[in-house]
mmCIF file of all heavy atoms in Angstrom:
data_model
loop_
_atom_site.group_PDB
_atom_site.id
_atom_site.type_symbol
_atom_site.label_atom_id
_atom_site.label_comp_id
_atom_site.label_asym_id
_atom_site.label_seq_id
_atom_site.Cartn_x
_atom_site.Cartn_y
_atom_site.Cartn_z
ATOM 1 N N ALA D 1 -19.745 30.363 -3.567
ATOM 2 C CA ALA D 1 -18.477 29.695 -3.286
ATOM 3 C C ALA D 1 -18.614 28.182 -3.430
ATOM 4 O O ALA D 1 -17.726 27.510 -3.974
ATOM 5 C CB ALA D 1 -17.991 30.048 -1.882
ATOM 6 N N ARG D 2 -19.730 27.637 -2.936
ATOM 7 C CA ARG D 2 -19.949 26.189 -3.079
ATOM 8 C C ARG D 2 -20.077 25.804 -4.554
ATOM 9 O O ARG D 2 -19.575 24.758 -4.978
ATOM 10 C CB ARG D 2 -21.213 25.770 -2.324
ATOM 11 C CG ARG D 2 -21.089 25.814 -0.815
ATOM 12 C CD ARG D 2 -22.251 25.104 -0.139
ATOM 13 N NE ARG D 2 -22.299 25.410 1.285
ATOM 14 C CZ ARG D 2 -23.166 26.217 1.860
ATOM 15 N NH1 ARG D 2 -24.083 26.818 1.122
ATOM 16 N NH2 ARG D 2 -23.136 26.435 3.167
ATOM 17 N N SER D 3 -20.763 26.638 -5.342
ATOM 18 C CA SER D 3 -20.920 26.359 -6.772
ATOM 19 C C SER D 3 -19.571 26.331 -7.469
ATOM 20 O O SER D 3 -19.294 25.443 -8.288
ATOM 21 C CB SER D 3 -21.835 27.403 -7.421
ATOM 22 O OG SER D 3 -23.123 27.369 -6.868
ATOM 23 N N HIS D 4 -18.728 27.308 -7.155
ATOM 24 C CA HIS D 4 -17.382 27.333 -7.751
ATOM 25 C C HIS D 4 -16.583 26.107 -7.337
ATOM 26 O O HIS D 4 -15.868 25.512 -8.154
ATOM 27 C CB HIS D 4 -16.645 28.602 -7.314
ATOM 28 C CG HIS D 4 -17.160 29.845 -7.975
ATOM 29 N ND1 HIS D 4 -16.865 31.116 -7.530
ATOM 30 C CD2 HIS D 4 -17.966 30.016 -9.041
ATOM 31 C CE1 HIS D 4 -17.454 32.008 -8.297
ATOM 32 N NE2 HIS D 4 -18.127 31.370 -9.226
ATOM 33 N N ARG D 5 -16.702 25.730 -6.046
ATOM 34 C CA ARG D 5 -15.956 24.571 -5.556
ATOM 35 C C ARG D 5 -16.421 23.289 -6.238
ATOM 36 O O ARG D 5 -15.602 22.457 -6.655
ATOM 37 C CB ARG D 5 -16.112 24.471 -4.041
ATOM 38 C CG ARG D 5 -15.255 23.380 -3.408
ATOM 39 C CD ARG D 5 -15.173 23.562 -1.905
ATOM 40 N NE ARG D 5 -16.480 23.501 -1.272
ATOM 41 C CZ ARG D 5 -17.062 24.543 -0.671
ATOM 42 N NH1 ARG D 5 -16.466 25.725 -0.629
ATOM 43 N NH2 ARG D 5 -18.250 24.404 -0.103
ATOM 44 N N LEU D 6 -17.748 23.128 -6.394
ATOM 45 C CA LEU D 6 -18.275 21.936 -7.046
ATOM 46 C C LEU D 6 -17.887 21.888 -8.516
ATOM 47 O O LEU D 6 -17.567 20.809 -9.053
ATOM 48 C CB LEU D 6 -19.800 21.899 -6.906
ATOM 49 C CG LEU D 6 -20.330 21.611 -5.506
ATOM 50 C CD1 LEU D 6 -21.844 21.763 -5.470
ATOM 51 C CD2 LEU D 6 -19.941 20.199 -5.068
ATOM 52 N N ALA D 7 -17.894 23.053 -9.175
ATOM 53 C CA ALA D 7 -17.496 23.099 -10.582
ATOM 54 C C ALA D 7 -16.034 22.694 -10.755
ATOM 55 O O ALA D 7 -15.687 21.948 -11.675
ATOM 56 C CB ALA D 7 -17.728 24.506 -11.151
ATOM 57 N N ALA D 8 -15.190 23.178 -9.843
ATOM 58 C CA ALA D 8 -13.770 22.816 -9.906
ATOM 59 C C ALA D 8 -13.577 21.332 -9.647
ATOM 60 O O ALA D 8 -12.762 20.670 -10.301
ATOM 61 C CB ALA D 8 -12.979 23.639 -8.886
ATOM 62 N N GLN D 9 -14.335 20.782 -8.694
ATOM 63 C CA GLN D 9 -14.230 19.353 -8.397
ATOM 64 C C GLN D 9 -14.703 18.515 -9.581
ATOM 65 O O GLN D 9 -14.094 17.484 -9.904
ATOM 66 C CB GLN D 9 -15.044 19.020 -7.146
ATOM 67 C CG GLN D 9 -14.451 19.595 -5.866
ATOM 68 C CD GLN D 9 -15.383 19.439 -4.680
ATOM 69 O OE1 GLN D 9 -16.555 19.094 -4.830
ATOM 70 N NE2 GLN D 9 -14.873 19.701 -3.484
ATOM 71 N N LEU D 10 -15.786 18.962 -10.219
ATOM 72 C CA LEU D 10 -16.299 18.236 -11.377
ATOM 73 C C LEU D 10 -15.299 18.272 -12.519
ATOM 74 O O LEU D 10 -15.047 17.253 -13.184
ATOM 75 C CB LEU D 10 -17.634 18.830 -11.816
ATOM 76 C CG LEU D 10 -18.279 18.205 -13.062
ATOM 77 C CD1 LEU D 10 -18.541 16.722 -12.835
ATOM 78 C CD2 LEU D 10 -19.570 18.935 -13.415
ATOM 79 N N GLU D 11 -14.717 19.441 -12.756
ATOM 80 C CA GLU D 11 -13.723 19.569 -13.818
ATOM 81 C C GLU D 11 -12.522 18.658 -13.547
ATOM 82 O O GLU D 11 -12.022 17.975 -14.444
ATOM 83 C CB GLU D 11 -13.257 21.024 -13.932
ATOM 84 C CG GLU D 11 -12.268 21.251 -15.059
ATOM 85 C CD GLU D 11 -11.862 22.711 -15.178
ATOM 86 O OE1 GLU D 11 -12.398 23.540 -14.419
ATOM 87 O OE2 GLU D 11 -11.004 23.019 -16.019
ATOM 88 N N ALA D 12 -12.083 18.637 -12.286
ATOM 89 C CA ALA D 12 -10.952 17.773 -11.929
ATOM 90 C C ALA D 12 -11.321 16.305 -12.103
ATOM 91 O O ALA D 12 -10.510 15.497 -12.579
ATOM 92 C CB ALA D 12 -10.524 18.045 -10.490
ATOM 93 N N ALA D 13 -12.552 15.962 -11.717
ATOM 94 C CA ALA D 13 -12.980 14.568 -11.846
ATOM 95 C C ALA D 13 -13.029 14.137 -13.305
ATOM 96 O O ALA D 13 -12.599 13.030 -13.653
ATOM 97 C CB ALA D 13 -14.357 14.386 -11.201
ATOM 98 N N LEU D 14 -13.543 15.024 -14.172
ATOM 99 C CA LEU D 14 -13.605 14.690 -15.594
ATOM 100 C C LEU D 14 -12.211 14.551 -16.190
ATOM 101 O O LEU D 14 -11.945 13.652 -16.998
ATOM 102 C CB LEU D 14 -14.408 15.758 -16.340
ATOM 103 C CG LEU D 14 -15.904 15.816 -16.012
ATOM 104 C CD1 LEU D 14 -16.553 17.009 -16.700
ATOM 105 C CD2 LEU D 14 -16.593 14.521 -16.428
ATOM 106 N N THR D 15 -11.300 15.445 -15.779
ATOM 107 C CA THR D 15 -9.914 15.372 -16.261
ATOM 108 C C THR D 15 -9.261 14.082 -15.787
ATOM 109 O O THR D 15 -8.593 13.381 -16.566
ATOM 110 C CB THR D 15 -9.115 16.586 -15.758
ATOM 111 O OG1 THR D 15 -9.732 17.777 -16.239
ATOM 112 C CG2 THR D 15 -7.681 16.525 -16.245
ATOM 113 N N ASN D 16 -9.467 13.758 -14.519
ATOM 114 C CA ASN D 16 -8.893 12.525 -13.977
ATOM 115 C C ASN D 16 -9.442 11.299 -14.691
ATOM 116 O O ASN D 16 -8.704 10.353 -14.974
ATOM 117 C CB ASN D 16 -9.179 12.426 -12.478
ATOM 118 C CG ASN D 16 -8.398 13.447 -11.669
ATOM 119 O OD1 ASN D 16 -7.396 13.996 -12.130
ATOM 120 N ND2 ASN D 16 -8.849 13.723 -10.457
ATOM 121 N N ARG D 17 -10.747 11.319 -14.978
ATOM 122 C CA ARG D 17 -11.364 10.174 -15.659
ATOM 123 C C ARG D 17 -10.754 9.984 -17.045
ATOM 124 O O ARG D 17 -10.477 8.850 -17.472
ATOM 125 C CB ARG D 17 -12.877 10.390 -15.764
ATOM 126 C CG ARG D 17 -13.609 9.291 -16.528
ATOM 127 C CD ARG D 17 -13.422 7.936 -15.869
ATOM 128 N NE ARG D 17 -13.992 6.869 -16.659
ATOM 129 C CZ ARG D 17 -15.253 6.446 -16.522
ATOM 130 N NH1 ARG D 17 -16.046 7.022 -15.611
ATOM 131 N NH2 ARG D 17 -15.709 5.468 -17.257
ATOM 132 N N ALA D 18 -10.521 11.105 -17.755
ATOM 133 C CA ALA D 18 -9.930 11.002 -19.091
ATOM 134 C C ALA D 18 -8.525 10.418 -19.026
ATOM 135 O O ALA D 18 -8.147 9.562 -19.837
ATOM 136 C CB ALA D 18 -9.901 12.382 -19.752
ATOM 137 N N VAL D 19 -7.738 10.858 -18.045
ATOM 138 C CA VAL D 19 -6.373 10.352 -17.899
ATOM 139 C C VAL D 19 -6.380 8.876 -17.537
ATOM 140 O O VAL D 19 -5.582 8.082 -18.057
ATOM 141 C CB VAL D 19 -5.606 11.170 -16.835
ATOM 142 C CG1 VAL D 19 -4.255 10.541 -16.533
ATOM 143 C CG2 VAL D 19 -5.420 12.601 -17.311
ATOM 144 N N ILE D 20 -7.286 8.484 -16.642
ATOM 145 C CA ILE D 20 -7.382 7.069 -16.249
ATOM 146 C C ILE D 20 -7.762 6.209 -17.446
ATOM 147 O O ILE D 20 -7.192 5.127 -17.661
ATOM 148 C CB ILE D 20 -8.395 6.915 -15.101
ATOM 149 C CG1 ILE D 20 -7.824 7.533 -13.818
ATOM 150 C CG2 ILE D 20 -8.731 5.437 -14.869
ATOM 151 C CD1 ILE D 20 -8.822 7.607 -12.675
ATOM 152 N N ASP D 21 -8.724 6.678 -18.254
ATOM 153 C CA ASP D 21 -9.120 5.920 -19.445
ATOM 154 C C ASP D 21 -7.947 5.771 -20.409
ATOM 155 O O ASP D 21 -7.743 4.700 -21.010
ATOM 156 C CB ASP D 21 -10.283 6.615 -20.144
ATOM 157 C CG ASP D 21 -11.601 6.453 -19.384
ATOM 158 O OD1 ASP D 21 -11.662 5.583 -18.503
ATOM 159 O OD2 ASP D 21 -12.552 7.208 -19.673
ATOM 160 N N GLN D 22 -7.156 6.840 -20.580
ATOM 161 C CA GLN D 22 -5.978 6.759 -21.448
ATOM 162 C C GLN D 22 -4.980 5.727 -20.921
ATOM 163 O O GLN D 22 -4.405 4.936 -21.675
ATOM 164 C CB GLN D 22 -5.310 8.127 -21.554
ATOM 165 C CG GLN D 22 -6.127 9.158 -22.316
ATOM 166 C CD GLN D 22 -5.550 10.559 -22.182
ATOM 167 O OE1 GLN D 22 -4.565 10.763 -21.487
ATOM 168 N NE2 GLN D 22 -6.187 11.518 -22.837
ATOM 169 N N THR D 23 -4.790 5.724 -19.617
ATOM 170 C CA THR D 23 -3.845 4.793 -19.003
ATOM 171 C C THR D 23 -4.311 3.355 -19.160
ATOM 172 O O THR D 23 -3.506 2.450 -19.445
ATOM 173 C CB THR D 23 -3.671 5.112 -17.507
ATOM 174 O OG1 THR D 23 -3.291 6.477 -17.374
ATOM 175 C CG2 THR D 23 -2.617 4.229 -16.881
ATOM 176 N N LEU D 24 -5.604 3.123 -18.981
ATOM 177 C CA LEU D 24 -6.129 1.770 -19.170
ATOM 178 C C LEU D 24 -5.880 1.305 -20.602
ATOM 179 O O LEU D 24 -5.546 0.132 -20.835
ATOM 180 C CB LEU D 24 -7.620 1.739 -18.849
ATOM 181 C CG LEU D 24 -8.005 2.022 -17.393
ATOM 182 C CD1 LEU D 24 -9.520 1.950 -17.212
ATOM 183 C CD2 LEU D 24 -7.316 1.052 -16.445
ATOM 184 N N GLY D 25 -6.037 2.224 -21.562
ATOM 185 C CA GLY D 25 -5.762 1.877 -22.951
ATOM 186 C C GLY D 25 -4.303 1.485 -23.164
ATOM 187 O O GLY D 25 -3.995 0.533 -23.895
ATOM 188 N N VAL D 26 -3.392 2.223 -22.532
ATOM 189 C CA VAL D 26 -1.968 1.906 -22.646
ATOM 190 C C VAL D 26 -1.678 0.522 -22.069
ATOM 191 O O VAL D 26 -0.984 -0.312 -22.689
ATOM 192 C CB VAL D 26 -1.120 2.972 -21.925
ATOM 193 C CG1 VAL D 26 0.346 2.539 -21.840
ATOM 194 C CG2 VAL D 26 -1.226 4.312 -22.653
ATOM 195 N N ILE D 27 -2.200 0.248 -20.864
ATOM 196 C CA ILE D 27 -1.960 -1.045 -20.213
ATOM 197 C C ILE D 27 -2.543 -2.177 -21.046
ATOM 198 O O ILE D 27 -1.916 -3.238 -21.241
ATOM 199 C CB ILE D 27 -2.564 -1.054 -18.794
ATOM 200 C CG1 ILE D 27 -1.839 -0.033 -17.909
ATOM 201 C CG2 ILE D 27 -2.483 -2.446 -18.171
ATOM 202 C CD1 ILE D 27 -2.465 0.152 -16.535
ATOM 203 N N MET D 28 -3.755 -1.995 -21.580
ATOM 204 C CA MET D 28 -4.400 -3.036 -22.382
ATOM 205 C C MET D 28 -3.622 -3.323 -23.658
ATOM 206 O O MET D 28 -3.455 -4.483 -24.053
ATOM 207 C CB MET D 28 -5.834 -2.610 -22.709
ATOM 208 C CG MET D 28 -6.763 -2.590 -21.491
ATOM 209 S SD MET D 28 -8.280 -1.623 -21.732
ATOM 210 C CE MET D 28 -9.014 -2.482 -23.126
ATOM 211 N N SER D 29 -3.111 -2.255 -24.299
ATOM 212 C CA SER D 29 -2.381 -2.457 -25.557
ATOM 213 C C SER D 29 -1.054 -3.167 -25.332
ATOM 214 O O SER D 29 -0.583 -3.916 -26.188
ATOM 215 C CB SER D 29 -2.151 -1.117 -26.251
ATOM 216 O OG SER D 29 -1.269 -0.303 -25.480
ATOM 217 N N ARG D 30 -0.442 -2.963 -24.172
ATOM 218 C CA ARG D 30 0.860 -3.567 -23.898
ATOM 219 C C ARG D 30 0.753 -4.989 -23.358
ATOM 220 O O ARG D 30 1.640 -5.818 -23.578
ATOM 221 C CB ARG D 30 1.632 -2.714 -22.890
ATOM 222 C CG ARG D 30 2.128 -1.405 -23.454
ATOM 223 C CD ARG D 30 2.911 -0.657 -22.408
ATOM 224 N NE ARG D 30 3.405 0.611 -22.917
ATOM 225 C CZ ARG D 30 3.977 1.541 -22.164
ATOM 226 N NH1 ARG D 30 4.107 1.325 -20.864
ATOM 227 N NH2 ARG D 30 4.399 2.653 -22.704
ATOM 228 N N THR D 31 -0.321 -5.259 -22.616
ATOM 229 C CA THR D 31 -0.397 -6.544 -21.917
ATOM 230 C C THR D 31 -1.502 -7.449 -22.427
ATOM 231 O O THR D 31 -1.536 -8.635 -22.083
ATOM 232 C CB THR D 31 -0.642 -6.305 -20.411
ATOM 233 O OG1 THR D 31 -1.939 -5.701 -20.231
ATOM 234 C CG2 THR D 31 0.434 -5.402 -19.825
ATOM 235 N N GLY D 32 -2.418 -6.915 -23.231
ATOM 236 C CA GLY D 32 -3.555 -7.717 -23.668
ATOM 237 C C GLY D 32 -4.583 -7.916 -22.584
ATOM 238 O O GLY D 32 -5.455 -8.786 -22.696
ATOM 239 N N ALA D 33 -4.501 -7.119 -21.517
ATOM 240 C CA ALA D 33 -5.425 -7.264 -20.404
ATOM 241 C C ALA D 33 -6.808 -6.742 -20.782
ATOM 242 O O ALA D 33 -6.960 -5.902 -21.686
ATOM 243 C CB ALA D 33 -4.905 -6.498 -19.194
ATOM 244 N N THR D 34 -7.817 -7.235 -20.087
ATOM 245 C CA THR D 34 -9.167 -6.701 -20.237
ATOM 246 C C THR D 34 -9.240 -5.362 -19.497
ATOM 247 O O THR D 34 -8.360 -5.043 -18.681
ATOM 248 C CB THR D 34 -10.206 -7.658 -19.634
ATOM 249 O OG1 THR D 34 -9.990 -7.728 -18.215
ATOM 250 C CG2 THR D 34 -10.084 -9.047 -20.235
ATOM 251 N N PRO D 35 -10.297 -4.559 -19.725
ATOM 252 C CA PRO D 35 -10.418 -3.299 -18.976
ATOM 253 C C PRO D 35 -10.406 -3.500 -17.471
ATOM 254 O O PRO D 35 -9.799 -2.720 -16.740
ATOM 255 C CB PRO D 35 -11.759 -2.734 -19.463
ATOM 256 C CG PRO D 35 -11.936 -3.303 -20.836
ATOM 257 C CD PRO D 35 -11.335 -4.684 -20.773
#
């Protein structure tokens, strides 16, 4: 059960990281901001 829970948390973390990186790209392209 712990293994399944950790795998789900890792998957969610990786998905969240990808979305955050995409958002940073959008903000940078619109505003010229640094990362």
Side-chain angles (χ1 to χ4, degrees):
R2 289 193 193 105
S3 298
H4 287 165
R5 186 165 60 247
L6 289 173
Q9 291 171 349
L10 178 60
E11 183 178 357
L14 292 174
T15 300
N16 290 341
R17 177 60 186 270
V19 172
I20 290 172
D21 286 345
Q22 291 170 358
T23 305
L24 295 180
V26 171
I27 295 173
M28 291 162 60
S29 66
R30 289 182 180 171
T31 65
T34 65

